[in-house]
Amino acid sequence: MTTKFLLPESELPTHWYNVVADLPSPPPPPLGADGKPATLDALAAIFPPGLIEQEVSAERWIAIPEEVREIFKLWRPSPLYRAHRLEKALKTPARIYYKNESVSPTGSHKPNTSIPQAWYNKQAGIRRLATETGAGQWGCSLALAGQLLGLEIRVYMVRVSYEQKPYRRSMMQTWGAEVFASPTNLTAAGRQILQKNPDTPGSLGIAISEAVEEAIGRADTNYALGSVLNHVMLHQTVIGLEARKQMALANDYPDAVFGCCGGGSNFAGIAFPFFADKAAGREVRLVAVEPTSCPTLTKGIYTYDFGDATGLTPLLKMHTLGHDFVPPGIHAGGLRYHGASPLVSQLVDAQLVEAMAIPQIETFEAGLLFARTEGIVPAPESTHALAATIREAKRCAETGQSQSLLVCLSGHGHFDMSSYDRYFAGELRDYDYPAEAIKDSLAHLPKFA
Amino acid sequence: MTTKFLLPESELPTHWYNVVADLPSPPPPPLGADGKPATLDALAAIFPPGLIEQEVSAERWIAIPEEVREIFKLWRPSPLYRAHRLEKALKTPARIYYKNESVSPTGSHKPNTSIPQAWYNKQAGIRRLATETGAGQWGCSLALAGQLLGLEIRVYMVRVSYEQKPYRRSMMQTWGAEVFASPTNLTAAGRQILQKNPDTPGSLGIAISEAVEEAIGRADTNYALGSVLNHVMLHQTVIGLEARKQMALANDYPDAVFGCCGGGSNFAGIAFPFFADKAAGREVRLVAVEPTSCPTLTKGIYTYDFGDATGLTPLLKMHTLGHDFVPPGIHAGGLRYHGASPLVSQLVDAQLVEAMAIPQIETFEAGLLFARTEGIVPAPESTHALAATIREAKRCAETGQSQSLLVCLSGHGHFDMSSYDRYFAGELRDYDYPAEAIKDSLAHLPKFA
């Protein structure tokens, strides 16, 4: 049996949901390097007014521009499925639903924010955007947005990914973006790192530093980020807003909602609209799932830290493992980030959102079971949310509880098959909790924090 | 502006359309190696009764089993789009529509036939299926079908593809299939080839010989083919049946329908249901698009020839370049076949279907333009149909004619990015018409033909 719940285009959300309106307390503001609240001028050097406004807004609903909605219609509303075949394989009384964000042109949820980011920049007369990318999901999505809206895109791609995942690079070029292996000789940050270590594999933190430096230095160029910031979480709420309507079509409501969590945009996207219900008194568990090897929410500290590795960004109050923490080389490249969304962090700190960590091999087991039952090969990031859902469904099988579980499939794994290959070959490992490295990086937190 | 035309699940076809019912004359029967009509016994050694019945049926409508329809619902009905952004880029008054078959779990139209083939084999008590694959689209689709319906799948993958496209192999393994680089030591056909030439890159013809040999030799094992045969064309008509309803939703009807053509299943899938209208007197052009380097329909002979390289299969009356013709190494691996569907061939011979050939570089130009306007990176096979559509749309721009053009996007290019890379690097070439090689292989046609 197959049951999918489709919304007509007329049900595509007209507004984004801003979780700030329902938080128990106002979000702590970003700080400058001096420990004082960051000025809007600092943000204006790299972001357009429309996005800065969203970044600091407390309005519950923010209208989605009509041109952005038109582009969303290329793949949205995305389908929600009842995972009958997975349930059967697990012999569980739980009802499992998955929201399928892999149907976008780039294969993940990232265009939900790349399109509006490009749009607001274009409105502000910006001609170029600089960004960083790790595994390439975000870089592809911004490349697509630039192509559709007529902006030039330059992507600093972490060198090790540039070499190991050449096809995400090809895809960015197909959509017309310029892609460089980071660190480059094009920026002071890049040159400084290369001088110290010409053979560095690069890191997301370094690539962010290069992109931000370029955006600060060029008037025609802004910076774009694929996660972490409030406006990115806002844009992703189209996922949960649609899912809430689709659960109603299914005559059901989730007992628990699962999303993978690196910077936090996929989790926020599926979970925040359900948080609105929770804030209004409805019982629903919201579970953010991260890798045990990069346990930001479960082992990090909730404090002020930099968003990048070298301290170019404002300080954000968030769960962090320290801005110079370098996570082990797990295959879920999108979850290898030292920090987390300030909004998600605040909700975890307030115990309104649960966080859990899952080791690598269990996530691949979950991905394989999902592929073999539901037919879609999931991205290694998505397998974290799937693994947590499967744990819960198994618990239901033991207790006989018939829970309703909703999980976000953030993307497909078409560009991650080499990771599945290594899993099949028995070459994957679980990493011990990197306690020493974290202790080290936490010692480098900004002093006044 | 984005306009997509979606059908509700209730509009998923309940029957396949059998073009044989509307042909001007009965299709010429398959022949044995002796030149006499092949017996059904010969077919029964490798195909189940349900599929043999469809292979020889002249019934106009054949019911789709309910369990097959349930699996189809994982991704069907597939969307039909109006390509506004492509039209704008071409400054054409033509209305371009594309049917998007890339939304299936394997990324192409192939599961439309792999699912029913696996189902009918299972009904017949068959436990295993053997098949061949070139680039891997078909192998992946049969692997998925085997996984969902509980059949073991063995895939003989052309060695050069096995080495060059490792991720399609990984995907087959993700869905539980056994995959071998062909030629292997597992079959007499494979051993014979390896003895002569241990370093052979393999070919589709050789891989077919290996899979057929295995199916003949094992009672629990049948053979499955992803194109060419009548029952495969039949299964693919779900594409055109849906598209016809979607064109009605758009209040339009195509002046011309374009599909890429290797073995013929994608073209037949989109075009045959419109042929039903043509047979009833409606004016509609049906255009099969092939590569100039493997010009089966445009330069081949309409005669009896083998389906495989070594003469294990029955003889089929079809357009052929000779069963031992080896096409140049173009990147549209799915179009590198010496023959073509007998049904498509008969319609081309009767001048009811047009055939045209397009050189490689033009197809990549078309693919890039499509990716940059409509957002989806197309497979190199699909770019042939797109290139033909773009030629027609440009002609409309010159003449001012406002034609309605329908094209099938047979699949996405996520596993073909290395081909796009070579295009960007200027390393692709157009092949001269391989006149000498074709003259040679046509000299080897079965003598009595």
Side-chain angles (χ1 to χ4, degrees):
Chain A
M1 193 156 103
T2 304
T3 324
K4 62 177 188 286
F5 301 94
L6 298 173
L7 292 176
E9 276 180 6
S10 55
E11 295 286 327
L12 183 72
T14 55
H15 290 72
W16 289 299
Y17 165 68
N18 185 3
V19 78
V20 172
D22 288 321
L23 290 181
S25 60
L31 304 181
D34 54 2
K36 292 185 183 138
T39 62
L40 292 187
D41 280 0
L43 294 175
I46 56 173
F47 295 117
L51 294 178
I52 295 175
E53 211 173 288
Q54 293 175 359
E55 188 63 23
V56 299
S57 170
E59 289 294 314
R60 182 172 277 105
W61 296 103
I62 296 177
I64 307 177
E66 209 38 51
E67 191 179 356
V68 170
R69 292 181 77 239
E70 279 302 316
I71 296 180
F72 282 171
K73 287 180 190 167
L74 284 171
W75 72 96
R76 303 208 73 85
S78 69
L80 180 105
Y81 287 80
R82 172 83 182 267
H84 291 293
R85 294 177 180 83
L86 176 61
E87 290 171 17
K88 197 174 159 196
L90 293 169
K91 300 190 179 73
T92 180
R95 303 182 299 289
I96 305 176
Y97 300 86
Y98 62 97
K99 176 74 169 161
N100 184 3
E101 289 294 308
S102 79
V103 296
S104 82
T106 64
S108 80
H109 67 298
K110 293 290 186 189
N112 296 336
T113 183
S114 70
I115 304 289
Q117 287 193 47
W119 190 86
Y120 284 105
N121 274 290
K122 195 180 174 186
Q123 292 302 106
I126 287 293
R127 204 176 59 76
R128 292 174 80 251
L129 290 174
T131 196
E132 73 292 330
T133 199
Q137 290 274 22
W138 168 244
C140 281
S141 299
L142 197 64
L144 173 69
Q147 185 64 51
L148 293 177
L149 287 160
L151 292 174
E152 285 177 31
I153 305 293
R154 174 175 285 182
V155 183
Y156 292 92
M157 185 173 188
V158 176
R159 186 197 274 178
V160 59
S161 297
Y162 184 93
E163 282 158 9
Q164 285 176 357
K165 299 211 170 179
Y167 300 136
R168 277 279 174 203
R169 169 178 54 71
S170 320
M171 207 172 193
M172 289 183 245
Q173 290 168 337
T174 301
W175 285 316
E178 256 187 324
V179 189
F180 295 99
S182 165
T184 70
N185 269 313
L186 301 168
T187 66
R191 286 189 293 272
Q192 186 189 331
I193 306 263
L194 284 173
Q195 202 165 29
K196 273 194 235 162
N197 181 3
D199 297 325
T200 176
S203 79
L204 210 49
I206 297 168
I208 295 178
S209 298
E210 292 203 81
V212 169
E213 182 186 322
E214 175 169 337
I216 292 173
R218 286 186 60 156
D220 64 348
T221 302
N222 264 349
Y223 169 69
L225 185 68
S227 194
V228 182
L229 297 177
N230 298 0
H231 66 272
V232 182
M233 305 300 125
L234 177 79
H235 298 159
Q236 292 292 356
T237 57
V238 291
I239 303 174
L241 291 169
E242 288 178 5
R244 216 163 46 157
K245 288 184 186 172
Q246 289 164 311
M247 290 300 295
L249 284 182
N251 285 316
D252 209 342
Y253 190 88
D255 294 297
V257 179
F258 300 87
C260 62
C261 196
S265 78
N266 191 256
F267 170 74
I270 187 79
F272 280 4
F274 291 94
F275 179 76
D277 297 339
K278 192 181 177 88
R282 185 148 199 175
E283 215 168 302
V284 52
R285 294 173 55 205
L286 307 174
V287 187
V289 190
E290 63 185 13
T292 47
S293 54
C294 188
T296 318
L297 295 173
T298 53
K299 303 277 188 182
I301 297 180
Y302 182 50
T303 185
Y304 275 100
D305 198 4
F306 294 110
D308 70 327
T310 63
L312 283 182
T313 70
L315 293 158
L316 303 171
K317 186 152 187 195
M318 60 181 177
H319 283 80
T320 177
L321 298 167
H323 57 272
D324 58 3
F325 172 68
V326 178
I330 57 165
H331 289 264
L335 307 184
R336 293 180 69 241
Y337 184 63
H338 69 274
S341 149
L343 293 174
V344 173
S345 296
Q346 186 179 353
L347 287 167
V348 168
D349 188 61
Q351 298 188 297
L352 292 166
V353 159
E354 299 169 43
M356 65 187 291
I358 295 197
Q360 175 159 268
I361 291 177
E362 183 179 342
T363 67
F364 273 87
E365 285 166 358
L368 194 67
L369 181 62
F370 188 81
R372 291 187 173 181
T373 50
E374 296 299 317
I376 302 169
V377 181
E381 291 80 11
S382 317
T383 62
H384 286 72
L386 292 170
T389 309
I390 288 170
R391 274 194 194 179
E392 190 64 23
K394 283 181 173 169
R395 209 186 50 73
C396 288
E398 281 164 21
T399 62
Q401 251 189 312
S402 176
Q403 293 243 311
S404 174
L405 311 176
L406 170 63
V407 56
C408 190
L409 182 74
S410 62
H412 63 59
H414 297 175
F415 295 88
D416 303 283
M417 296 314 299
S418 63
S419 305
Y420 279 89
D421 266 354
R422 295 197 54 196
Y423 169 70
F424 292 135
E427 289 168 12
L428 288 195
R429 48 171 289 210
D430 287 334
Y431 291 87
D432 293 332
Y433 166 58
E436 281 309 307
I438 292 173
K439 198 175 138 196
D440 226 46
S441 57
L442 287 180
H444 303 154
L445 284 175
K447 283 294 175 303
F448 58 84
Chain B
M1 192 156 102
T2 303
T3 323
K4 62 179 188 286
F5 301 94
L6 299 173
L7 292 175
E9 276 180 4
S10 56
E11 295 285 330
L12 184 72
T14 55
H15 290 71
W16 290 298
Y17 164 67
N18 185 3
V19 77
V20 172
D22 288 321
L23 291 180
S25 59
L31 303 182
D34 54 2
K36 293 187 180 135
T39 62
L40 292 187
D41 280 1
L43 295 175
I46 55 174
F47 294 117
L51 294 179
I52 294 175
E53 211 173 287
Q54 293 175 0
E55 188 64 24
V56 299
S57 171
E59 288 295 314
R60 183 172 276 103
W61 296 102
I62 296 177
I64 307 177
E66 209 39 52
E67 193 180 355
V68 169
R69 291 182 76 241
E70 279 302 317
I71 296 180
F72 281 171
K73 287 180 189 166
L74 284 171
W75 73 96
R76 304 209 72 85
S78 68
L80 180 105
Y81 287 81
R82 173 83 183 268
H84 291 293
R85 294 177 180 83
L86 175 60
E87 291 170 16
K88 197 174 158 198
L90 292 169
K91 299 189 179 74
T92 180
R95 304 180 299 287
I96 304 176
Y97 299 87
Y98 62 97
K99 176 74 169 162
N100 184 0
E101 288 295 308
S102 79
V103 297
S104 82
T106 65
S108 81
H109 67 298
K110 293 289 185 188
N112 296 337
T113 183
S114 71
I115 304 289
Q117 287 193 47
W119 190 86
Y120 284 105
N121 274 289
K122 195 181 175 188
Q123 291 302 105
I126 287 293
R127 204 176 58 75
R128 291 173 81 250
L129 291 174
T131 197
E132 74 292 327
T133 200
Q137 289 273 21
W138 168 243
C140 281
S141 298
L142 197 65
L144 173 70
Q147 185 64 50
L148 292 177
L149 287 161
L151 292 174
E152 286 176 31
I153 305 294
R154 174 174 287 180
V155 183
Y156 293 91
M157 186 174 188
V158 176
R159 186 196 274 178
V160 60
S161 296
Y162 185 93
E163 283 158 8
Q164 285 176 358
K165 299 212 172 180
Y167 300 135
R168 277 279 172 201
R169 167 177 56 71
S170 318
M171 207 172 194
M172 290 184 244
Q173 290 167 339
T174 301
W175 285 315
E178 260 187 321
V179 189
F180 295 100
S182 166
T184 71
N185 269 313
L186 300 168
T187 66
R191 285 189 294 271
Q192 188 189 332
I193 306 263
L194 285 174
Q195 203 165 28
K196 272 193 235 161
N197 180 3
D199 298 325
T200 176
S203 79
L204 209 50
I206 297 168
I208 295 178
S209 298
E210 290 203 82
V212 169
E213 182 186 321
E214 177 171 337
I216 292 173
R218 287 186 59 156
D220 65 348
T221 301
N222 264 348
Y223 170 69
L225 186 67
S227 195
V228 182
L229 297 177
N230 298 0
H231 66 272
V232 182
M233 304 300 125
L234 178 77
H235 298 159
Q236 292 293 356
T237 58
V238 291
I239 303 173
L241 291 169
E242 288 178 5
R244 216 165 44 160
K245 288 183 187 173
Q246 288 163 312
M247 290 300 296
L249 284 182
N251 285 318
D252 209 341
Y253 190 88
D255 294 297
V257 178
F258 299 87
C260 61
C261 195
S265 78
N266 191 258
F267 170 73
I270 188 80
F272 280 5
F274 290 93
F275 179 77
D277 296 339
K278 193 182 176 88
R282 186 148 198 175
E283 213 167 305
V284 52
R285 292 173 56 206
L286 307 173
V287 187
V289 191
E290 63 185 11
T292 47
S293 54
C294 188
T296 317
L297 295 173
T298 52
K299 303 277 188 181
I301 297 178
Y302 181 51
T303 185
Y304 274 100
D305 198 3
F306 294 110
D308 70 327
T310 64
L312 281 181
T313 71
L315 292 159
L316 303 171
K317 186 153 186 193
M318 61 183 177
H319 283 79
T320 178
L321 298 168
H323 57 273
D324 58 4
F325 171 68
V326 178
I330 56 164
H331 288 264
L335 306 184
R336 291 180 68 241
Y337 184 64
H338 68 274
S341 148
L343 292 174
V344 173
S345 296
Q346 188 180 352
L347 287 167
V348 169
D349 188 62
Q351 298 186 301
L352 292 165
V353 159
E354 299 170 42
M356 65 187 289
I358 294 198
Q360 176 159 266
I361 291 176
E362 183 179 343
T363 67
F364 273 86
E365 285 166 356
L368 194 66
L369 180 61
F370 188 80
R372 292 187 171 181
T373 50
E374 296 299 317
I376 302 169
V377 181
E381 291 81 10
S382 317
T383 62
H384 286 72
L386 291 170
T389 308
I390 287 170
R391 273 194 193 179
E392 189 65 22
K394 284 181 175 170
R395 207 184 52 72
C396 288
E398 282 164 21
T399 62
Q401 250 189 314
S402 176
Q403 292 244 311
S404 173
L405 310 176
L406 169 64
V407 56
C408 191
L409 182 74
S410 62
H412 63 59
H414 297 175
F415 294 89
D416 303 284
M417 295 314 299
S418 63
S419 305
Y420 280 90
D421 266 354
R422 294 196 54 196
Y423 169 70
F424 292 136
E427 289 168 12
L428 288 194
R429 48 172 287 210
D430 287 335
Y431 291 87
D432 293 333
Y433 165 57
E436 280 310 305
I438 291 174
K439 197 175 141 196
D440 226 46
S441 56
L442 287 179
H444 304 155
L445 284 175
K447 283 295 175 304
F448 58 84

